Amino acid sequence: MKIQMLPSAAGGGLHQFLTTFLVNDRVAIDAGCLGFHGDPKDQVRVRHVFLTHSHADHVCSLPLFVNHVTDCGAPPVTLYGSAPTLESVRNDIFNGRTWPTLDRFSCDGVPLVRLEVLTAGRSVTVDGLSVTAVPVDHVIGTLGYIVDDSRSAVAISSDSRATEEIWREASRLPHLKAAFIGVAFPNARSELAEIAGHMTPAAFEREVAKLPPHVRIVAIHMKPIYHQQIEDELRGMGLRNVVAGVAGHDYVF
Ligand SMILES: [Zn+2]
Ligand SMILES: [Zn+2]
């Protein structure tokens, strides 16, 4: 399984200002920077987008992406997420003001965009991948995802406080290879992290301990102004199976 942590800064750079993970070139988790990815042919291959939640850093290029890849005669693009997330996509993005109401357009009876609500624990199979939605602790309706191609499984939880269910479910899979875990604030900002629904390296370390020791951990979504500090704190913990995620890097499991 190939997972690209898409770059999100003009001209590259290691920071993950915006969040998109592209699996096997075809399935996206979040659309923070999906609409800026590659050239239009790369984007057109993506027909399934799983949203963790509706914060701007996770959806800001969604309207552009949908505009780039939908056409009469093309299969619809399906956007998956919890009911609150898709309600926000409909009311705050495709509302006729921020962007046209593309989710209500159709061509010869075929919609350009489909919105599909995911409930906790539900799995859908697309492009050879089973994707399971698991609630995490951020804003209401935030989901993490377990992506499984039957040889490798990877858990992705971007924005969350400490959580249990996704690590419990992922740990049940004997072929769990990796987990992407968000760590947004340095340890000195633990109070702010809790208010904002994020984690510090100290909280991150406790999440890592909930997973089997062979699982590779990628630390993601560090706030750019704290990036170096967070990396230093993670390195100081000496966790052998943890690497700091690099925007623009391809991970193969
Ligand atoms: Zn968020
Ligand atoms: Zn975020």
Side-chain angles (χ1 to χ4, degrees):
M1 188 190 304
K2 180 176 82 170
I3 301 184
Q4 292 171 270
M5 188 162 146
L6 292 190
S8 63
L14 80 157
H15 295 300
Q16 198 179 17
F17 293 111
L18 309 166
T19 302
T20 297
F21 296 91
L22 188 57
V23 186
N24 294 345
D25 301 316
R26 302 183 73 91
V27 172
I29 310 288
D30 279 335
C33 43
L34 182 60
F36 314 134
H37 167 57
D39 74 44
K41 286 201 278 298
D42 297 320
Q43 294 185 27
V44 162
R45 290 199 283 181
V46 181
R47 310 312 294 184
H48 300 277
V49 180
F50 293 80
L51 300 172
T52 60
H53 62 305
S54 58
H55 278 164
D57 51 331
H58 299 257
V59 299
C60 77
S61 78
L62 179 65
L64 308 174
F65 164 76
V66 169
N67 194 39
H68 299 161
V69 305
T70 51
D71 195 5
C72 292
V77 167
T78 304
L79 310 179
Y80 305 85
S82 68
T85 296
L86 295 185
E87 190 182 318
S88 169
V89 165
R90 175 163 273 197
N91 294 339
D92 303 329
I93 299 175
F94 299 116
N95 56 14
R97 297 184 301 277
T98 307
W99 207 245
T101 55
L102 290 181
D103 61 319
R104 276 153 263 189
F105 287 11
S106 60
C107 214
D108 300 325
V110 179
L112 297 186
V113 182
R114 293 173 58 245
L115 304 187
E116 189 164 333
V117 172
L118 295 181
T119 49
R122 183 164 162 225
S123 298
V124 290
T125 300
V126 292
D127 291 325
L129 298 166
S130 160
V131 184
T132 303
V134 186
V136 295
D137 186 9
H138 185 54
V139 292
I140 289 173
T142 303
L143 297 173
Y145 292 102
I146 299 170
V147 185
D148 190 340
D149 68 3
S150 77
R151 290 184 303 277
S152 301
V154 175
I156 300 175
S157 170
S158 183
D159 292 15
S160 182
R161 300 180 183 86
T163 188
E164 304 293 333
E165 193 179 350
I166 188 167
W167 311 135
R168 192 171 59 236
E169 292 305 313
S171 296
R172 287 201 177 119
L173 302 170
H175 53 298
L176 179 69
K177 298 282 171 56
F180 289 75
I181 305 178
V183 52
F185 289 91
N187 285 325
R189 295 286 181 277
S190 59
E191 209 173 312
L192 192 54
E194 181 63 25
I195 292 166
H198 286 286
M199 284 191 281
T200 61
F204 173 92
E205 184 178 24
R206 292 190 287 274
E207 299 301 278
V208 171
K210 297 171 186 174
L211 288 160
H214 69 271
V215 173
R216 290 165 62 188
I217 310 288
V218 184
I220 57 166
H221 210 24
M222 302 173 207
K223 281 200 178 295
I225 56 165
Y226 301 127
H227 193 116
Q228 192 57 54
Q229 192 177 350
I230 294 169
E231 272 205 35
D232 291 346
E233 290 179 4
L234 288 172
R235 201 174 304 112
M237 289 171 167
L239 300 167
R240 274 177 307 169
N241 56 339
V242 173
V243 294
V246 177
H249 191 73
D250 295 353
Y251 297 85
V252 178
F253 303 108

